[in-house]
Each structure stands twice: as structure tokens, then as C-alpha cells.
Amino acid sequence: MRIGSYPLKNPVFLAPMAGITDQPFRRLCTQYGAGLTFSEMMSSNPQVWHTEKSRLRLARVSEAEINAVQIAGSNAAEMAEAAKINVEYGADLIDINMGCPAKKVNRKLAGSALLQFPKLVEEILHAVVNAVEVPVTLKIRTGWNKENQNCVEIAKIAEQAGIQALTIHGRTRACLFNGQAEYENIRKVKAQVKIPVIANGDIQTVEQAKQVLAYTQADAIMIGRAALGNPWLFQEMVNELQGLAPQPVSLAQKCRDILHHMRELHQFYGEAKGYRIARKHLAWYLETIAPNSDFKQTFNCLEGAQAQLDALEEFFKLQIIGKEQRW
């Protein structure tokens, strides 16, 4: 699969997630095989383009990886300018968010709220595509609600506007993240357009990945919440889809990865902010490797980066790995 001029190493991508897909997390998912990762959503509001938060969100994983930056907004001119600014700051690919169901985003007529207004969608897409020379992609839902599932119409508008790939989450905006994602509408879109289609929504296991790709005939899948606390999932999926032998990640290696991730969060954000952000990631990791542990409460009471690292290392040694196993 290619997006514009970029060949992608595999069809398993990491979804953009607010407050989660920062550089340290994207780097870890890339290490374990994610074929493409996306930054957190960047606002088209020019007042926030030069803030420290925006600078951190634009940090690339590495020079060798595609720096895909997602933008959101409802004004075509501002979206075009935001795309240009992000390219100047190092974006290799611009992704337009028309799938976010959050109220604070939709109140500004951004995210999935735009699906109600195909003409405005068309105006925004043309403006952004014409503003930059890098590939532009689009992420949507199947529609605003079940009575208004217009993803095929939006997909055709996107293709005609020059969008290079389309990601579809198999829910409407009204569904939020409730119930089960459906893939019939993704299948319909894939049959109607020639641009690459990426299936998203509730893909949590290797078997689900295979089933969704087979059913929808999508070119790739995008993993979101299933990657929280489990970046090793990418390796499992990629190996299976490419017919490679499984490469199980040992518990000891997972513990080393978690410690390294915690250190990177501390360094990336600075200690004062980093140790607070580390708490939510550690909670997700514990659900994966030690779901019955009460260590999360202990960890959340710690203040300071070094205190977290010391406690976490001791926890891994004594309760998960065992004293006899070196790591």
C-alpha cells in the first residue's frame, strides 16, 4: 500500500488519539511494527499553532518514519493555513479529522459534526489539498447518526478532491464509542472508490484484524483503544498478516519496554508533567500484564519521576518476573 509517494511497510496503523499518541507512545508502537502512526489532533485555530503543546505534538518519531499530523477545524481557509504551517514544521502527511465525536469539538462544527454538511466538507478538502504538496488523508465515521449514514457520499467527495487515503470508523457520531462497530459501510465505501481505504473500530485481536480486512477488502486497518497498554499487539498482527512466525514478547521484555516508556515520558514532558502523564499509561499496562494488581493505587500516590521508576522496577522484580529471573 502507498499513500501518495510513500510506500508503507505494512497495513497496521496506529490511530490518532488525543492525549495518548504523543512521540513516546508512537515511537514504541513503531518499534513493534506499526506501519504508520498519527499525531494527536492539532487545532486549526492560529492562536495555538506556536504553543508548547503544539510543539510537542509535532515532534516526529524519527527521521526514517513518516510524520503524519492530524488537523481539525471547520473553516476552510484556517484549515488550509494550518496544513501549511504543519508542513513547514515538519509534517510529511496531513490527516483531516472529520471523525471525532467529542462535544467540545463538535460544538465548533469540527470533527464528525462536519459530516452533516457535505458542501462544507468539499470546500475544506479542496482548500487543504490545494494548500500543500504533501499527501492529505481523511478520517471519518459512517455518518452523523444511523438515519444519516452518508460515508459513501463523503468518500466520493474526498476522492474527487484529491484525498490520498480514507479512514472510516465503523460507527456514527451518535454512537460515540458505544455498542459494536460495524463494517458493512466500510465495505460499501471500498467498493465505490479507488483510493486506499483504512478500516477502524473495535479491532482488538489478530483474528479480528484478519476478518475485518477479508470482509471489507480494506487496504489497511487502524488500531486505536486496543493499543492502550499493549503496543506489542502491532507485532502480533503484522506477523500474522504477513505470514511470519509468531514472535512472542516475553514478560521481562514487556517490563523493560514499560520502564523505557516511563523514562521517555519524563524526558519528553519534563518531570513535573511527565510523571503525571505516566500514571494513565501505567494503568493501561497493568490491565495487560497484571490485571489483578493493586499497584496502580501505590503508583498514583507517588510524586516525582525517580520515585515512579524505583517503585515500578521493584514491582516488576518482586511480583511479576520473580527474583530468580534476570532482566
Side-chain angles (χ1 to χ4, degrees):
M1 177 182 168
R2 302 178 70 91
I3 296 181
S5 62
Y6 298 122
L8 302 176
K9 55 191 176 185
N10 66 63
V12 186
F13 304 161
L14 173 66
M17 292 179 280
I20 298 167
T21 52
D22 53 21
Q23 185 205 59
F25 187 66
R26 284 183 284 132
R27 183 175 286 165
L28 184 55
C29 292
T30 298
Q31 175 187 330
Y32 278 97
L36 182 64
T37 67
F38 292 80
S39 74
E40 301 174 70
M41 185 172 63
M42 297 280 291
S43 172
S44 64
N45 180 355
Q47 295 181 354
V48 304
W49 290 346
H50 307 290
T51 63
E52 177 69 5
K53 179 183 282 190
S54 293
R55 184 190 68 79
L56 291 174
R57 289 185 176 184
L58 283 168
R60 62 189 310 132
V61 171
S62 74
E63 290 301 318
E65 300 297 328
I66 299 168
N67 192 25
V69 175
Q70 188 180 73
I71 62 173
S74 58
N75 180 284
E78 284 188 359
M79 288 284 280
E81 191 61 29
K84 288 195 287 187
I85 290 291
N86 280 296
V87 170
E88 289 176 12
Y89 286 176
D92 301 314
L93 181 154
I94 296 294
D95 185 60
I96 300 174
N97 183 316
M98 294 190 183
C100 179
K103 286 183 179 180
K104 66 179 182 180
V105 175
N106 290 174
R107 277 199 296 265
K108 299 176 182 178
L109 203 62
S112 56
L114 286 164
L115 299 176
Q116 301 170 97
F117 307 101
K119 288 293 184 184
L120 180 54
V121 168
E122 183 176 21
E123 181 184 350
I124 290 171
L125 298 186
H126 277 284
V128 174
V129 168
N130 292 332
V132 295
E133 295 185 1
V134 303
V136 180
T137 61
L138 174 65
K139 190 170 192 287
I140 65 171
R141 289 190 165 222
T142 60
W144 178 249
N145 54 34
K146 290 185 177 180
E147 293 72 39
N148 296 279
Q149 297 190 71
N150 60 344
C151 52
V152 171
E153 177 189 6
I154 298 297
K156 290 180 177 180
I157 290 172
E159 184 172 46
Q160 293 166 1
I163 292 297
Q164 298 290 300
L166 176 68
T167 301
I168 309 172
H169 183 110
R171 288 182 172 88
T172 66
R173 188 274 166 189
C175 291
L176 300 176
F177 291 99
N178 300 320
Q180 296 294 312
E182 54 88 9
Y183 308 109
E184 178 62 29
N185 278 293
I186 301 176
R187 180 185 173 108
K188 288 179 181 177
V189 168
K190 177 58 186 172
Q192 293 289 322
V193 297
K194 295 179 180 178
I195 59 175
V197 172
I198 303 153
N200 174 231
D202 291 354
I203 305 172
Q204 301 175 339
T205 67
V206 169
E207 279 306 311
Q208 287 175 323
K210 292 168 64 178
Q211 290 167 4
V212 170
L213 283 169
Y215 180 74
T216 63
Q217 294 296 296
D219 300 275
I221 53 174
M222 182 173 282
I223 309 302
R225 290 171 292 166
L228 303 183
N230 191 13
W232 312 285
L233 180 62
F234 290 97
Q235 181 169 286
E236 295 177 33
M237 289 184 172
V238 170
N239 286 346
E240 179 68 23
L241 294 174
Q242 295 185 342
L244 302 174
Q247 295 177 286
V249 181
S250 69
L251 184 56
Q253 182 60 53
K254 289 181 178 180
C255 292
R256 287 192 290 268
D257 289 334
I258 294 168
L259 275 168
H260 182 69
H261 187 194
M262 298 296 109
R263 292 189 188 99
E264 284 216 325
L265 288 170
H266 299 154
Q267 293 168 5
F268 185 70
Y269 289 105
E271 180 173 345
K273 186 176 180 182
Y275 84 86
R276 291 181 172 87
I277 292 174
R279 290 170 176 166
K280 63 183 178 184
H281 283 278
L282 193 277
W284 290 319
Y285 282 126
L286 289 176
E287 289 177 13
T288 299
I289 66 172
N292 298 319
S293 169
D294 59 2
F295 178 69
K296 181 176 74 172
Q297 287 75 21
T298 300
F299 190 82
N300 286 346
C301 292
L302 299 172
E303 296 192 5
Q306 193 58 50
Q308 286 187 339
L309 296 175
D310 291 343
L312 192 55
E313 186 163 357
E314 189 65 21
F315 174 72
F316 287 155
K317 284 180 179 178
L318 297 178
Q319 300 190 42
I320 297 180
I321 298 173
K323 295 180 181 179
E324 75 286 355
Q325 185 175 351
R326 298 183 62 186
W327 60 296

